[in-house]
Amino acid sequence: MMHLRLVVLFLCCVSFLGAAAQTRPPVGVTLSGGGAKGLAHIGILKAIDSAGLKVDAITGTSMGSIIGGLYAAGYSADTLEKITRAIDWASLLSNQTNLTSLKMEEKDEYGKYALELPWSNHGFRLPTGLLEAEELWLKFSELFYPVYQTKDFTKLSIPFKCIATNISDGSIVVLDKGELVKAIRSSMAIPTVFTAVRIDSVMLVDGGVVRNFPVQEVRDMGAKIVIGSSVANGLLPTKKINNVLQVLLQIAFFKEAEDNKHQQSLTDLYIYHPMLGYSAASFGRANEIIQQGVEKGREYYPAIKRLKDSLDALYGPEPAPQNRLPLVDSVQVSDIQIRGLVKTDSTFFVDMLGYKGPRKYTARQVTLMARRVYGTRYYGKVMYYLEPRPDSTALLVFEVSENPTTEAKVALSYNIFSGANLIADLTTRNYFTKHSRSLVTLSIGQTFRIKGQHLQYFGTHNQTALIATFEDEAPEYNTYTNFDQDGIYRNLYAVGDLRIQRSVNRIVALGLGTRFENSVFRPVLTSPLVLKGADNFFTSYPYFQVNTLDRWNYPRSGSKVNAEYDLTYGQSPDFEITDNGVRVNTDSLNKNAADYTRFLLDATQYISLHRKSTLFWQTQTAVNFRYQVNRVNDFMVGGLTPQFHNQVTFAGYDEGMVYTSSISSLLLGFRYEALPQIYLTARENVGVYNYLNVKDQLVSPSFLSGSSLSAGYDSPIGPIEFSLMYGDQSRKVLGYVNLGINF
C-alpha cells in the first residue's frame, strides 16, 4: 500500500500547489490467475464500484481473465457475484452436459467411463487435456453474447487484455483481438487439465505458465495508477517441503515467483489474498471464496476511496460509467456457418441443430441448439460466436471439434454383489454403415460379462433406430430361506435382442422388440432344495421410456420411467430338482411350460428442494401373469443398485433375498450434499409381493419393508458409496458397498 500512499500524497501536493494537470492519469486493474481462488477478485471489484472509481484498463490471467473480461464487457461486480454464486461449478468444469441434451439412444453410455482414449493416426492418443468442458464454452458464449460485435478487446467498455502461453515455445501471448470467448478459454487452459486452444494456428494454454500477474501489460495499455489483486500463494516455505512432489512443484514455480515479484513492484496498490486452506480446485467452496474476497474488498475500500477522491479533487469529478453492458436480448441471424467438419457433413449438423432459418435468436436459444448437436455424441466441442455483417445482421458461426469415430474406454467397478471388475469398452461410429454406432463392452474380474451392440439410425432427424444387442454373463446368486442364505447358484445367461425404437424427442422413446433368452442354472453351494438345468424362450414386447434426468450420478432433478409389457413363449425347460438328495419328479415342470405375459414398471423422480438437498421417490412393479416355471424368470428382490436382469432393487435386503413372481414397491429418499461432491442419502421403502397366483387371482400378499443410510463421494471414477441397511422382516443390519460404474 506504500505505493498508493505516495501516489495520493503526490496528488495532494499537486492539488495544494495549484498545478493544473492536463490529463487525469488512467487507472488500471490487474487480476491474477489462481483457479477457484480467483473468485475472490470480485470482492475487490465491488470495492472499486462502491468507491465510484473509474477503471480505464484491465488485464487478467486464467480466472483473472474470466472475471476481468466479464467486468470489462460491462457486468458490474454485484452482477458478477450473483452469477458466480449461482453457477454449478462441478457441472461447468467437467466433460458432462445435461442428459436432456442427449439423444435417448446415447444416454445409457454417456459419461460412464473414467478414461476415454480416442483412436487417431493409427493409434490411441491422449487428448491435450482431460477436460474440453463443453458447458464452459457455452456459458462463456452466453455471457459474452451482448458484446458479440466487439472483436477488438480494447473497444470494450473497459479496454481489456488477457494472457496465454504459446505451448510450442513457451512465449507470452497477449490476446486483445478476435473472439473473446476463445481468448479467455485459452488463458485459463491449465496444462493437462483443460484442452489447449488453437488460435490462428497457434496452440495456447494457461497464461499463468509464463505470467500469472500481468501488471506490465496494463502499464503498456497506458495505466499510470495500477491496482493489482493477487491470489497466488507463491513458493512454499522450507518447512512445508516434505516430499518429492513438493520439491518438483517448487522448482516448477521458480520462474513464476520471480516474475510475480517484478509484477508486484509495478503496482501502486497491491492487494494480496492469502486464501489459506483453498486451492485452485476449490470450486465446491466458491461461496466461501467469494465472501473472503468481499471482506478483503471492504478492508481496502478506504484506500480505493481516497484514491478516487484525490483524483476528483485534482482533475475534477469523473464518475464511473453505469450500465456499461450493451442491452442485447436477441440478434438477427441471417445465415449460419459450420467450421471444423471433417467426417460429418453440414446437412447432418444442421438437421441435428434444429436451425429455424434467418430470424432473431437469443443466447439461450443458440446454446440449446449447440447442446442438441453435442448430444449426438459425434462432437467433442461445439462452440459458437457471431460475426457482424454490414446490414446489422450477424453470421452465426459454429466451431466444432469432431469426436474420433473410435474410442476405447476403461473404468473400475466394485459392488458387493458382482465383486471387483475392470470394464473395458470399444465404441465406433459409422464403421459398418452411415449413421450407426457399434460397441463391445467387457467386464473382466469376479463376474464375467460381455455385451455387443449395433445401433442404426433411420429417417428424418435420425429419430428411428434399429438396435441389435447380444449379452452374456455368469453371475453368482445367493439363495435364501427365511432371509438366511442356504446356497449359491451360478446363472449362465445369454440374450439376443432386436428392437426398433422411435424417439419422440430427446426425453421420450417407445419401441417394439423381440429377444431370445437362454438361462442355465448350476449350483455352486448346494442347499437342501437344489434346482439344476436350463430354459430358453422368446419374449416379444412393446416398451415406453422417459428420461429427463439432469445427470446419472446423484441426479438433482428429472424423471426416469421404463415400462414394458412382455409375451414370453416357446419355452424349452429342462430341469432337475433334488430335495435333500432325493430327486423330484419334474415332468409337469418341463412338459407343461405354457406361454405367459409379464409387466414391468420402474419410475423414479428427483425434486431439488435446495441447491444441496434432493427429494426422490421410486415405484417398481414386476408381475408374471399365468406363470408356471418358477425361478426361471422370477424377480430377485434386493440391493441398492441395478446389477442384473429381473432385479427389483430394495433397500434393506441383499440381492435375491426374496424371489417372487409378483411385487410392487414404493421408495422415498432424501439426499443432502454435506460437502462438495460428498452426499448423505436416506432411503425408506415398502412393498408387497406374492399377491398373484398362477390363475391371476389376487391372494393375500407378503409384506416387505426396509431402509438404508448411505455416504457417497462423486469421484472421477464414478460414485463411491458405503451404506448400512436394515430389513424389518429379516431383522438384519447389512453393509453395502458400490464403487464406480455398473456394467
Side-chain angles (χ1 to χ4, degrees), residues 234-282:
L235 296 175
L236 293 171
T238 302
K239 63 181 181 181
K240 290 191 176 182
I241 303 175
N242 300 315
N243 58 55
V244 65
L245 179 60
Q246 290 171 335
V247 170
L248 291 174
L249 288 174
Q250 189 84 336
I251 294 171
F253 285 114
F254 278 165
K255 184 177 179 181
E256 178 190 322
E258 187 63 30
D259 186 66
N260 276 352
K261 285 183 182 178
H262 174 63
Q263 299 302 313
Q264 180 181 335
S265 70
L266 298 177
T267 64
D268 297 295
L269 176 59
Y270 176 68
I271 303 173
Y272 173 61
H273 307 255
M275 305 308 297
L276 299 176
Y278 300 96
S279 72
S282 297

Side-chain angles (χ1 to χ4, degrees), residues 517-535:
E517 301 173 69
N518 179 262
S519 195
V520 179
F521 291 85
R522 293 179 180 173
V524 176
L525 179 64
T526 59
S527 59
L529 185 66
V530 177
L531 173 71
K532 182 180 180 180
D535 190 12

Side-chain angles (χ1 to χ4, degrees), residues 211-354:
R211 178 151 298 162
N212 197 49
F213 193 37
V215 183
Q216 182 63 59
E217 284 66 30
V218 84
R219 288 285 186 188
D220 293 344
M221 294 172 73
K224 301 302 182 184
I225 301 172
V226 177
I227 300 172
S229 175
S230 176
V231 297
N233 289 334
L235 296 175
L236 293 171
T238 302
K239 63 181 181 181
K240 290 191 176 182
I241 303 175
N242 300 315
N243 58 55
V244 65
L245 179 60
Q246 290 171 335
V247 170
L248 291 174
L249 288 174
Q250 189 84 336
I251 294 171
F253 285 114
F254 278 165
K255 184 177 179 181
E256 178 190 322
E258 187 63 30
D259 186 66
N260 276 352
K261 285 183 182 178
H262 174 63
Q263 299 302 313
Q264 180 181 335
S265 70
L266 298 177
T267 64
D268 297 295
L269 176 59
Y270 176 68
I271 303 173
Y272 173 61
H273 307 255
M275 305 308 297
L276 299 176
Y278 300 96
S279 72
S282 297
F283 286 98
R285 303 171 68 187
N287 287 344
E288 299 174 26
I289 294 171
I290 294 168
Q291 192 57 41
Q292 285 211 19
V294 171
E295 296 299 326
K296 183 65 71 171
R298 289 171 181 162
E299 177 186 337
Y300 278 85
Y301 170 79
I304 296 170
K305 188 67 166 65
R306 283 198 300 271
L307 173 61
K308 196 268 183 190
D309 291 343
S310 298
L311 289 170
D312 285 352
L314 182 58
Y315 302 99
E318 187 175 7
Q322 302 297 309
N323 303 317
R324 295 181 290 111
L325 186 69
L327 296 176
V328 178
D329 177 61
S330 60
V331 176
Q332 181 69 42
V333 173
S334 55
D335 202 358
I336 64 171
Q337 188 177 92
I338 304 103
R339 298 172 184 171
L341 297 180
V342 179
K343 296 179 180 179
T344 57
D345 56 51
S346 59
T347 301
F348 172 77
F349 189 95
V350 174
D351 193 31
M352 294 297 101
L353 193 66

Side-chain angles (χ1 to χ4, degrees), residues 66-77:
I66 299 173
I67 302 301
L70 290 168
Y71 189 71
Y75 289 94
S76 69

